[in-house]
Amino acid sequence: MYFGGGCVKYYIASDEKNLKQVRSLIKKLTSKGFTCVNGGNLIADDETNQIADGIGEYEKKGIEEADFMLIFLTAGKGNLYELGYALSLNKKIIVYSPEKDNYHINKKSIFHNLPEVTICSGTFYKLVKLIHTLSPEGSEKNDSLPLK
């Protein structure tokens, strides 16, 4: 998949209990040239990261602006709304979990089976390698790693 020139932007959805891992992932992806459109909310200290008026519009705009969505499992109920909105905008979606157990049939959404959704489990390295195929440079080098 090729997005054209420029920086590849992504929106990340996750649960608060994954915040430490999500922050680490955002830093890793930023170092690889990717931009998290809602990273300001996730990187900020917990004391300053309170839900404010207008947060829904901010998140909605982030999904619209992103080239793809990354859902970091386990994610809260809200990620299903985010997923639905991203699907309605025809965004590519990567559902990621460090542990394969999160993909047990009783734990995943039926939407995870759609062709726009790619599932990835394992290390950050494996995820970054998959995401790199979304970038202009990665697409030109390696079209053999399709996103489903």
Side-chain angles (χ1 to χ4, degrees), residues 73-74 96-104 107-108 112:
L73 295 181
T74 58
Y96 169 74
S97 173
E99 301 164 14
K100 219 174 178 109
D101 290 349
N102 288 322
Y103 297 111
H104 186 275
K107 292 185 179 180
K108 70 180 188 175
H112 294 175

Side-chain angles (χ1 to χ4, degrees), residues 10-40:
Y10 68 97
Y11 177 97
I12 191 164
S14 184
D15 195 337
E16 287 181 12
K17 61 185 160 192
N18 302 324
L19 205 49
K20 186 175 180 181
Q21 289 178 300
V22 167
R23 287 175 178 159
S24 177
L25 179 59
I26 290 171
K27 287 177 184 174
K28 183 168 225 33
L29 291 174
T30 300
S31 75
K32 300 290 184 185
F34 295 93
T35 300
C36 183
V37 295
N38 63 326

Side-chain angles (χ1 to χ4, degrees), residues 28-121:
K28 183 168 225 33
L29 291 174
T30 300
S31 75
K32 300 290 184 185
F34 295 93
T35 300
C36 183
V37 295
N38 63 326
N41 265 1
L42 300 166
I43 294 292
D45 292 333
D46 293 332
E47 292 177 14
T48 61
N49 189 19
Q50 297 176 359
I51 295 179
D53 291 338
I55 191 74
E57 284 299 318
Y58 171 81
E59 297 295 331
K60 181 179 168 190
K61 185 179 179 211
I63 294 170
E64 293 167 356
E65 187 180 321
D67 295 308
F68 71 96
M69 174 182 272
L70 174 59
I71 298 175
F72 192 108
L73 295 181
T74 58
K77 280 192 305 189
N79 92 88
L80 292 177
Y81 299 109
E82 294 163 318
L83 173 65
Y85 190 53
L87 286 170
S88 75
L89 297 172
N90 296 313
K91 301 287 181 177
K92 272 294 195 190
I93 298 159
I94 298 173
V95 179
Y96 169 74
S97 173
E99 301 164 14
K100 219 174 178 109
D101 290 349
N102 288 322
Y103 297 111
H104 186 275
I105 193 70
N106 294 329
K107 292 185 179 180
K108 70 180 188 175
S109 164
I110 58 170
F111 292 109
H112 294 175
N113 295 318
L114 294 173
E116 299 89 352
V117 178
T118 298
I119 293 176
C120 178
S121 62

